[in-house]
Amino acid sequence: MTTTAYADAGPAATLEDRIRQDPARFRVLTGDRPTGALHLGHYFGTLHNRVRLQDLGVEMFVLIADYQVLTDRDVAERLTATTEGLLLDYLAVGIDPERAVIFNHSAVPALNQLMLPFLSLVTVAELGRNPTVKDEIAHSRQASVSGLMYTYPVHQAADILFCKGNLVPVGQDQLPHLEVTRTVARRFNERYGPVFPEPEALLSAAPLLLGTDGTKMSKSRANSIALSAGADETARLVKGARTDADRHITYDPEGRPGVSGLLLLAALCLGRGPHEVAEEIGGGGAAALKRTVTDAVNTRLAPMRARRAEYAEDLGYVRSVLRAGNERANAVADATLAQVREVMGAIG
């Protein structure tokens, strides 16, 4: 990338316009922790947008954050399987390994080595009051919290800055993490010299998708519909979703969260508005609503399921995708670390 990619190119309100006008100016870092199957919340929240950016011509780095599951022993013990599952989901939704670098933490030593100088640039108090860290700790269900969990925002800074990413698609809840990255980049540049961009946040416009229990769809809450779920399993999960006793179906997120969550899911899958879907169902009640949702989800996921099944038949290819991505990520990380060591005077 050229240094012009790091320049201030205008107000945040025009960010989407700037991406469309010059997608090659941007380098995105995004990714997931391999803690389980990706679900519809991931698809409409982030995956769909990643494919869109990729297709626009934005350079993509997609991280499988395997080092960030070391705090969860159950997941860490089956890491190979969850990593391969994540790769299958990526390929199924349309992430193209010819146009995106798919890699994992544990295979890129130079990325992780950036953690040391970066940790010197933030205080313990700054990490402790990070609201995203607080939320992760609250939902960790652990009796004690390891020091690693407090370093997650700085590790994420290393993820983004090792490739000099200047654009990060995030939800509103991830903005505190990104602000740590911007702080690390700014303080490093001020202390040692201009090396890193201060990445911009591309806020997701996707609405919050609720799970089958009426709360936020989440792997940890067992209320999600996985992208890898079959048609029959999807029907079963939707059938068990929480609704209410009113037969007339309306979209009212505040008053009827369960019904409205299902309407939104159907609308997203159909590419229509939730009020329009509600009007069509009318007085059909919860049974008609759930049939509509099931049909919409199964139709939307059918081509992804077919691609996933095809890739699952050739795990050798899937593993080769990760090996190739790791090689490309290592070359980038090694170059960045060499530059960091040089400006810090650490060569010799």
Side-chain angles (χ1 to χ4, degrees), residues 79-341:
L79 198 52
T80 298
T82 55
T83 295
E84 289 181 352
L86 196 54
L87 270 166
L88 287 170
D89 286 338
Y90 285 163
L91 296 172
V93 301
I95 293 177
D96 182 357
E98 296 298 319
R99 294 182 288 169
V101 179
I102 305 173
F103 68 102
N104 57 339
H105 270 150
S106 58
V108 189
L111 181 161
N112 298 291
Q113 197 169 337
L114 290 173
M115 279 271 285
L116 292 175
F118 286 180
L119 280 168
S120 74
L121 299 169
V122 295
T123 67
V124 173
E126 286 173 326
L127 295 176
R129 63 174 175 259
N130 183 289
T132 310
V133 171
K134 288 181 178 179
D135 184 66
E136 288 176 350
I137 290 172
H139 287 92
S140 67
R141 305 189 305 276
Q142 297 178 21
S144 60
V145 177
S146 74
L148 180 62
M149 190 167 283
Y150 281 96
T151 70
Y152 279 172
V154 180
H155 203 178
Q156 190 172 61
D159 297 339
I160 297 166
L161 298 178
F162 97 95
C163 65
K164 300 185 180 177
N166 60 354
L167 183 68
V168 184
V170 291
Q172 192 76 30
D173 61 335
Q174 286 293 312
L175 282 176
H177 267 355
L178 185 60
E179 193 53 42
V180 172
T181 301
R182 290 174 57 83
T183 297
V184 166
R186 183 170 59 253
R187 289 176 181 173
F188 186 95
N189 294 341
E190 289 171 350
R191 183 173 299 183
Y192 299 110
V195 172
F196 297 111
E198 292 184 36
E200 295 184 82
L202 180 63
L203 280 171
S204 171
L208 175 66
L209 196 58
L210 299 183
T212 54
D213 61 354
T215 67
K216 179 182 177 182
M217 190 175 287
S218 168
K219 288 182 286 187
S220 63
R221 297 176 185 178
N223 66 354
S224 59
I225 300 173
L227 299 179
S228 57
D232 291 343
E233 183 183 357
T234 298
R236 178 182 62 79
L237 291 169
V238 173
K239 185 177 181 180
R242 184 177 301 173
T243 53
D244 57 40
D246 188 346
R247 285 191 57 81
H248 188 73
I249 301 302
T250 58
Y251 184 65
D252 177 9
E254 292 295 324
R256 308 181 71 184
V259 168
S260 299
L262 289 173
L263 282 169
L264 179 59
L265 177 54
L268 288 170
C269 289
L270 295 168
R272 298 162 65 188
H275 289 287
E276 181 185 356
V277 176
E279 288 175 6
E280 286 189 0
I281 298 171
L289 169 62
K290 291 179 179 181
R291 283 195 301 271
T292 299
V293 174
T294 298
D295 290 345
V297 170
N298 281 333
T299 299
R300 183 66 179 253
L301 290 185
M304 299 180 213
R305 289 168 176 160
R307 286 194 295 270
R308 196 181 197 281
E310 185 177 346
Y311 285 121
E313 290 294 317
D314 189 0
L315 288 179
Y317 168 74
V318 173
R319 292 162 187 156
S320 75
V321 166
L322 188 58
R323 284 197 301 271
N326 286 338
E327 288 178 7
R328 293 163 68 187
N330 268 294
V332 172
D334 289 345
T336 299
L337 182 60
Q339 186 180 11
V340 164
R341 287 175 58 81

